[in-house]
Amino acid sequence: MSESRMEFRLKNTPGDCIQSVKFGPTSSQFLLVASWDKSVRLYDVVNNNMRLQYQHQGPVLDCCFQIIKHLYNDTYLLQLKRMGTNQGADHLLTGHDVPIRLYLYHSNISLEMATHKNGKAKIKILKTRRHRGSKFTSPKVYTMGRAGEKLVVGTANRKVMVWDLRNMGFAQQRRESSLKYQTRCIQCFPNKQGYVVSSIEGRVAVEYLDPSPEVQKKKYAFKCHRLREDGIEKIFPVNAISFHNGYNTFATGGSDGYVNIWDGFNKKRLCQFHRYPTSISSLCFSNDGNTLAIACSYMYEQEEIDPMPEDCIFIRRVTDQETKPK
């Protein structure tokens, strides 16, 4: 794939499925990458080089920045560690007898989610200024997103639960997804009004947190990431969602290899990028919304294929024409 002024491919990317890409909270220069090749990598995307690589003993399932000098990463080896990006030193924050699947950090709230063998998941508040605690949820958790003090959790059987981080004694809301098939990803609007949920069946739903009937009338779902080839419609999972912090528009990435950008409030698709080499496994807008990281890894939707597509990450400069509501 040829590179352009607006897009380039990162060098020295992981050699196995890329699970997560995350920009730093205050800069679009640094990108953190978690992968099934057992590594966490820190990239300087401005200079297109890898600044740091940290090796685990098992696949790394999630990662995020705490502040620009420190980062957290979660591993299949049941540990949560903090690593300094300058010295490379790390220390164990917490341990489990089961894999840690998801991790969120923002401001003074730090959350981890570990899936247990019985199918339940433990969501734990690791450290905050005002409160700490933990809560088991059931059934199996697939994804979660945060909107201010609200934690939105997507589970098996198309269930969605909304928790208030100030009181984890009970779920404030228990919902059923408006999508008919398994939930794949949930991300919350930056304005905290609602969230977007995607499924394995090429659909996305825009939902609102306010439970009043008047507001709930605004929710809707739509088809996406579908291709018609030889008169047959092929339907692909929607694996990744990322929001533009300034405009509340969002990008979706599917196993069709395409990235779309949507205006959820006005129900419009703003643009579609060219087709990427394989499935989109993770997406992340930079904090200023000017850059989008696009991770491409085959997600085994069709079992083994030969040759296997190469895992890669593209950095795309995005414009207001592509991301701003019209």
Side-chain angles (χ1 to χ4, degrees):
M1 180 178 295
S2 61
E3 297 187 354
S4 68
R5 183 175 60 87
M6 298 297 293
E7 182 178 283
F8 63 91
R9 180 172 171 172
L10 274 185
K11 300 175 181 178
N12 198 20
T13 48
D16 204 344
C17 182
I18 299 166
Q19 188 76 21
S20 178
V21 291
K22 301 282 179 62
F23 274 109
T26 60
S27 171
S28 59
Q29 181 175 1
F30 298 106
L31 184 75
L32 193 61
V33 177
S35 169
W36 277 76
D37 74 348
K38 307 178 184 180
S39 74
V40 178
R41 303 179 188 217
L42 179 70
Y43 293 92
D44 179 340
V45 301
V46 173
N47 296 298
N48 196 0
N49 61 40
M50 186 176 68
R51 290 279 293 269
L52 180 70
Q53 180 175 348
Y54 175 79
Q55 205 70 23
H56 274 283
Q57 295 180 5
V60 185
L61 304 182
D62 202 7
C63 61
C64 72
F65 285 87
Q66 179 188 15
I67 56 176
I68 200 64
K69 292 183 180 180
H70 297 87
L71 55 92
Y72 286 121
N73 62 78
D74 304 340
T75 81
Y76 196 78
L77 281 188
L78 327 177
Q79 298 176 343
L80 175 64
K81 293 186 178 182
R82 185 175 70 197
M83 176 173 62
T85 59
N86 292 326
Q87 295 83 15
D90 67 273
H91 66 272
L92 183 67
L93 295 180
T94 184
H96 289 274
D97 58 355
V98 293
I100 300 171
R101 173 61 183 84
L102 296 168
Y103 187 79
L104 293 177
Y105 181 90
H106 181 79
S107 183
N108 64 323
I109 298 173
S110 179
L111 292 160
E112 68 176 57
M113 188 279 288
T115 301
H116 288 245
K117 295 176 182 178
N118 59 7
K120 295 183 178 181
K122 184 178 184 181
I123 297 176
K124 184 177 181 181
I125 301 176
L126 293 176
K127 182 180 179 182
T128 71
R129 294 174 186 171
R130 291 172 294 176
H131 46 73
R132 67 175 64 234
S134 62
K135 182 66 181 180
F136 280 91
T137 67
S138 179
K140 185 177 181 180
V141 173
Y142 292 134
T143 180
M144 62 182 180
R146 197 190 62 85
E149 299 287 355
K150 297 289 192 300
L151 179 68
V152 183
V153 179
T155 76
N157 302 321
R158 302 169 37 247
K159 303 298 182 183
V160 176
M161 291 182 286
V162 181
W163 301 83
D164 189 328
L165 294 173
R166 295 164 295 188
N167 182 7
M168 291 289 284
F170 64 97
Q172 279 195 332
Q173 299 179 39
R174 295 178 181 270
R175 301 181 173 194
E176 186 172 284
S177 171
S178 57
L179 305 178
K180 296 180 180 180
Y181 293 87
Q182 179 182 310
T183 299
R184 178 57 64 92
C185 184
I186 286 179
Q187 291 293 335
C188 297
F189 279 95
N191 64 11
K192 305 173 187 177
Q193 291 183 17
Y195 59 91
V196 172
V197 56
S198 69
S199 78
I200 62 171
E201 188 240 350
R203 286 180 184 266
V204 166
V206 176
E207 304 271 358
Y208 293 86
L209 290 169
D210 187 338
S212 66
E214 182 179 353
V215 173
Q216 289 301 305
K217 289 180 182 178
K218 298 179 182 179
K219 70 179 183 180
Y220 67 96
F222 60 93
K223 297 177 182 179
C224 56
H225 296 282
R226 300 177 176 216
L227 296 176
R228 184 167 291 277
E229 297 177 349
D230 300 323
I232 300 173
E233 184 181 54
K234 295 184 178 180
I235 301 171
F236 297 88
V238 185
N239 303 314
I241 303 168
S242 182
F243 272 94
H244 188 290
N245 286 329
Y247 297 142
N248 284 285
T249 53
F250 60 92
T252 60
S255 291
D256 57 349
Y258 283 103
V259 174
N260 297 320
I261 297 182
W262 309 88
D263 177 358
F265 291 113
N266 295 312
K267 303 181 181 181
K268 292 181 179 179
R269 186 173 74 177
L270 299 176
C271 68
Q272 182 181 77
F273 301 157
H274 61 82
R275 196 172 189 180
Y276 289 88
T278 187
S279 308
I280 308 301
S281 58
S282 183
L283 292 170
C284 187
F285 273 110
S286 59
N287 186 61
D288 60 13
N290 294 328
T291 308
L292 181 65
I294 303 164
C296 302
S297 286
Y298 181 58
M299 307 291 285
Y300 289 88
E301 301 90 341
Q302 302 175 21
E303 304 299 334
E304 295 281 350
I305 58 175
D306 188 22
M308 286 288 289
E310 187 177 1
D311 301 283
C312 51
I313 301 170
F314 292 89
I315 305 299
R316 185 180 180 96
R317 313 299 181 189
V318 291
T319 64
D320 280 358
Q321 186 176 1
E322 296 169 320
T323 59
K324 188 174 182 179
K326 296 180 175 60

